[in-house]
Amino acid sequence: MTLTDFSFLEPGRRWPPTDEKARIDRYDRCTLLFEGDHEAAFPGLTALDDDLDQITANWFKRSTTLICDLASPLRLFADNQAVLDRIAEANDLDLLVYDLFADILRFGNAVLKVRFDPRRGGIVERIDPRYWFPVVSPDDGRDVQAHCICYNFSQYEDHIQRGYLRVEIHKPGSIENRLFRLDSGAAITSELPISALERYSGMPSEVRTGVDDFLVVPLSGLLSSDGVFGLDDYGGIEGLVRELEKRLIRTSRTLDKFADPNIVLPIENFSVNPGTGERYFVNPWTGNPIFEDIEIGGGRYIVSEVGETGTRPLPQYLTWDASLQNNFSQIEEIKAELMAIGEISPALLGDVKSGLAESGSALKRLAIPTLAKVARLRARVKRPLLEALRLCARLEAISRWPGAGELQNLTIEWGSALPEDRLEAAQIEQLRKTAGLTSTRSALARLDPDASDEDLDWETAQISEERRDESYQFV
């Protein structure tokens, strides 16, 4: 469910809001999955064997970082390129975009907040989605009326710990700063002036931004049925990862059990204490009893009597040829299903069982599912990211920051994280040139995208001069 008014901030309401608790709990669970705390995420797995540590197969982090690596390379262009480059550098835009992709994959949502700092200029910062509470129209869930950034904290006052709730209500053109007190049960008791705490002294209760738009920009993956919050990438593979870890734990338990096997000893190596009925070892050479503990490994000893044939067994270890092939086959099936549902190409993980990509185009064909996922993710990030950069530049201009200016004709050029096959690219350009479908300069520009116009002009002139010299020598 989504919030349709501000009644969740009224005294007596619990924090976080009841309608949002399921979403916040899901974010917390996805954090456990990503960070590898699967003992908390999958309780009961280690109960299979108390002596065995948790085995973590963190597919969540691996799949997330792989998609982020493929999706994040980008270049930005605008009419006022100097302003854009300065904003991008000041905000570590490459790292910011990487983290945005990670948030969308982990939580289904990412949130950007734009603000102005008198010392640093325009700032585009990432907000934890757990702090984001949109208020939407009751008639249209996608019509956002306000974005609330809310977080609770506590501090000691006169040796008493008191809880507070800090709220920023973002509306087009304004930001409301509000402060509430929470009781020990995390319920709102009253609203306080924002300056009631020293840390917020001098902060106005309302700020006019001068920008007729929200300064909070949400991003989402595939939208859920409510049309507001996105779906995380982990829901479809949780059960598979849990089963994979269970298989690995049980396999390890079996191998550990037979790593130190039991020993079979003939009965004549023992005598019985008539007082206690306990067996004890007898020295086979002297016949004297040995009462001290005998180290025979971590296994147990088994007493073997004379067999039906009258032969006496020799001391030996009792071993078992553990047939775990079915278990290993099940593990491989689970991994294949994980990659299918997660849209991860085995070739991108270095798996050569399905064949080795002999060229760049072959690798791209093998990676089609993953590249399609990357393209889908980029399409959802593009518009909000450009909007946040425009808002940042506009805030700087309104605040008269030195060198500020509006960003016009702002575009993104996404790069490729796949290794470039330079030989294949050169062969393609040669075919184009032979067929008369491209010029030498254009072919050079595609083969060396980092070359400047001066470099291309010089290289083209050199090629023309070499061709003239060759034609003279031929004549």
Side-chain angles (χ1 to χ4, degrees), residues 47-61:
L48 297 172
D49 193 330
D50 294 335
D51 296 331
L52 189 64
D53 293 333
Q54 173 73 35
I55 295 178
T56 301
N58 200 345
W59 278 81
F60 307 102
K61 183 178 180 180

Side-chain angles (χ1 to χ4, degrees), residues 5 75 79 89 154 211 281 386 417:
D5 54 39
R75 298 174 67 183
D79 290 346
E89 182 178 358
S154 61
V211 178
F281 284 104
L386 295 180

Side-chain angles (χ1 to χ4, degrees), residues 262-273:
N262 301 326
I263 188 171
V264 178
L265 296 172
I267 192 170
E268 58 264 24
N269 288 108
F270 294 89
S271 290
V272 178
N273 188 330

Side-chain angles (χ1 to χ4, degrees), residues 207-311:
V207 177
R208 306 300 299 181
T209 64
V211 178
D212 56 351
D213 206 344
F214 294 110
L215 293 185
V216 171
V217 182
L219 304 88
S220 64
L222 294 175
L223 292 175
S224 59
S225 57
D226 58 21
V228 178
F229 302 109
L231 299 172
D232 62 80
D233 253 35
Y234 297 167
I237 62 174
E238 273 190 67
L240 290 170
V241 174
R242 187 184 189 281
E243 182 65 22
L244 175 63
E245 292 184 354
K246 183 171 73 173
R247 292 290 107 200
L248 293 173
I249 288 174
R250 289 184 171 176
T251 301
S252 296
R253 183 179 61 174
T254 302
L255 295 175
D256 286 346
K257 184 175 182 179
F258 292 97
D260 201 351
N262 301 326
I263 188 171
V264 178
L265 296 172
I267 192 170
E268 58 264 24
N269 288 108
F270 294 89
S271 290
V272 178
N273 188 330
T276 63
E278 295 181 355
R279 283 193 173 94
Y280 57 87
F281 284 104
V282 175
N283 190 314
W285 293 278
T286 66
N288 296 324
I290 302 174
F291 293 103
E292 62 267 17
D293 293 336
I294 303 298
E295 295 291 338
I296 59 172
R300 297 177 301 149
Y301 63 82
I302 299 174
V303 179
S304 175
E305 299 184 4
V306 178
E308 295 180 357
T309 60
T311 59

Side-chain angles (χ1 to χ4, degrees), residues 73-75 77 413 415-416 420 422 441-457 459:
L74 81 163
R75 298 174 67 183
F77 302 94
E413 180 182 293
S416 175
E420 182 183 2
R422 300 182 69 86
R441 193 179 192 281
S442 298
L444 289 172
R446 285 189 291 268
L447 290 173
D448 190 1
D450 295 328
S452 64
D453 290 339
E454 292 78 7
D455 295 335
L456 295 175
D457 291 338
E459 194 67 39

